[in-house]
Amino acid sequence: VLNGSASSFFDDQRGTLQPTDFDTLNFSEGEDGYLLFDPSACQNAEPNGPMPIFSLSPSDLRLIFAGISDDASNITLRDFNPARNQLEFVERAPGDSLPNVVSVRLFERGSSRTAAAIYSFKPVGSSSAEDHEERVNRWLRTIINQAGRAQ
């Protein structure tokens, strides 16, 4: 829900955009967005695919994800919740006045293995599922390149 202009929604402060709640997220494949998540863990969502699993600890993978915003001027780490191991990013595509959101939540899966739930969406303005899929795949390629290998 928007409170005020879109600029206050995405400004450098906290704005009105709330972090993604993966536990209660409503999403169906084919909607404008792209979700990788464990189907058994989300009661209200139909993910586009399973969570990727990386051969890294949650803290190491978190640093790599956070590094994406350090390396790209159009990506900002907007929020980090250490208790939930969740990061919220805003990505501004060239020529697009309204940004996209990429939410990432990390789940430990045994010794030095971490699964990443990833949700790309655009809360204001138009977008396509294909644009979000390409974005998530681009992010995954970056993570895989920096992590060395994914399982």
Side-chain angles (χ1 to χ4, degrees):
V1 174
L2 268 180
N3 295 327
S5 70
S7 64
S8 69
F9 196 53
F10 293 108
D11 65 8
D12 291 335
Q13 310 305 313
R14 300 274 314 166
T16 60
L17 182 64
Q18 295 299 310
T20 298
D21 185 346
F22 283 96
D23 297 329
T24 62
L25 179 64
N26 285 307
F27 180 81
S28 296
E29 189 172 346
E31 289 184 28
D32 291 344
Y34 194 76
L35 174 64
L36 299 180
F37 197 47
D38 181 356
S40 66
C42 50
Q43 300 171 354
N44 302 320
E46 299 173 15
N48 298 95
M51 294 187 289
I53 298 177
F54 298 89
S55 296
L56 295 166
S57 69
S59 60
D60 289 343
L61 187 57
R62 183 175 57 243
L63 288 173
I64 292 172
F65 268 105
I68 288 177
S69 63
D70 293 338
D71 297 336
S73 61
N74 65 324
I75 299 173
T76 304
L77 176 60
R78 191 174 176 286
D79 189 46
F80 170 57
N81 181 331
R84 295 186 61 82
N85 223 1
Q86 185 165 326
L87 304 99
E88 302 285 332
F89 298 91
V90 173
E91 180 176 349
R92 295 183 182 274
D96 199 352
S97 60
L98 297 171
N100 296 283
V101 174
V102 177
S103 299
V104 177
R105 186 168 173 195
L106 305 176
F107 298 88
E108 189 169 5
R109 294 288 191 251
S111 178
S112 295
R113 290 174 45 91
T114 305
I118 305 172
Y119 179 43
S120 173
F121 66 102
K122 188 171 197 164
V124 178
S126 62
S127 63
S128 71
E130 292 80 16
D131 290 340
H132 294 288
E133 180 179 10
E134 196 288 319
R135 177 173 301 100
V136 168
N137 286 331
R138 179 172 34 86
W139 280 56
L140 286 174
R141 284 190 302 272
T142 300
I143 297 300
I144 289 167
N145 285 338
Q146 292 183 14
R149 68 180 181 96
Q151 290 206 10

